[in-house]
Amino acid sequence: PELVDLSGETKETLDMYGAEPGKPSYANNCLLARRLVERGCRFVQLYHTDWDHHGNKENNLGDSLDLRCREVDQASAALVADLKARGLLDDTIVIWGGEFGRTP
């Protein structure tokens, strides 16, 4: 249970990820991924559940896509930087993938 309790994280760490304890988010998941790696977890997969912008382009592009990009960019960069700062990136492979092949 202490794994998912983010109350012990510093304000600086929470701000770096954009994480808000108790609120489901990709940022919280990235922070939880770091905590899993710290505890020896050998495989962690993250994904953003609100990423598909292929349908209803008029309502999904623009501000919504900008927001999704900021969420993913900030938290993902924070995860890699945090792993590196803690010496965990030495033994961790980070693979970034994205959807491809479909065009609007």
Side-chain angles (χ1 to χ4, degrees):
E2 81 280 351
L3 172 76
V4 296
D5 179 7
L6 302 181
S7 65
E9 295 290 341
T10 66
K11 180 180 179 340
E12 292 79 17
T13 298
L14 294 173
D15 289 346
M16 179 173 67
Y17 280 85
E20 297 179 49
K23 180 180 176 186
S25 68
Y26 180 78
N28 283 8
N29 289 345
C30 284
L31 185 49
L32 290 172
R34 190 220 65 215
R35 294 169 65 95
L36 284 165
V37 171
E38 283 179 318
R39 288 162 174 78
C41 185
R42 296 176 52 110
F43 182 86
V44 179
Q45 178 179 348
L46 296 169
Y47 61 94
H48 195 292
T49 60
D50 196 16
W51 189 254
D52 190 347
H53 296 275
H54 292 93
N56 197 5
K57 292 182 288 187
E58 293 77 23
N59 294 324
N60 286 328
L61 295 179
D63 291 340
S64 177
L65 184 58
D66 290 345
L67 177 59
R68 297 291 90 76
C69 289
R70 281 193 301 273
E71 290 171 351
V72 171
D73 288 353
Q74 178 181 352
S76 298
L79 174 58
V80 173
D82 205 4
L83 290 171
K84 184 174 182 176
R86 295 168 186 267
L88 297 168
L89 198 55
D90 296 339
D91 298 323
T92 304
I93 296 172
V94 177
I95 300 171
W96 177 268
E99 183 181 4
F100 64 92
R102 295 189 338 184
T103 56

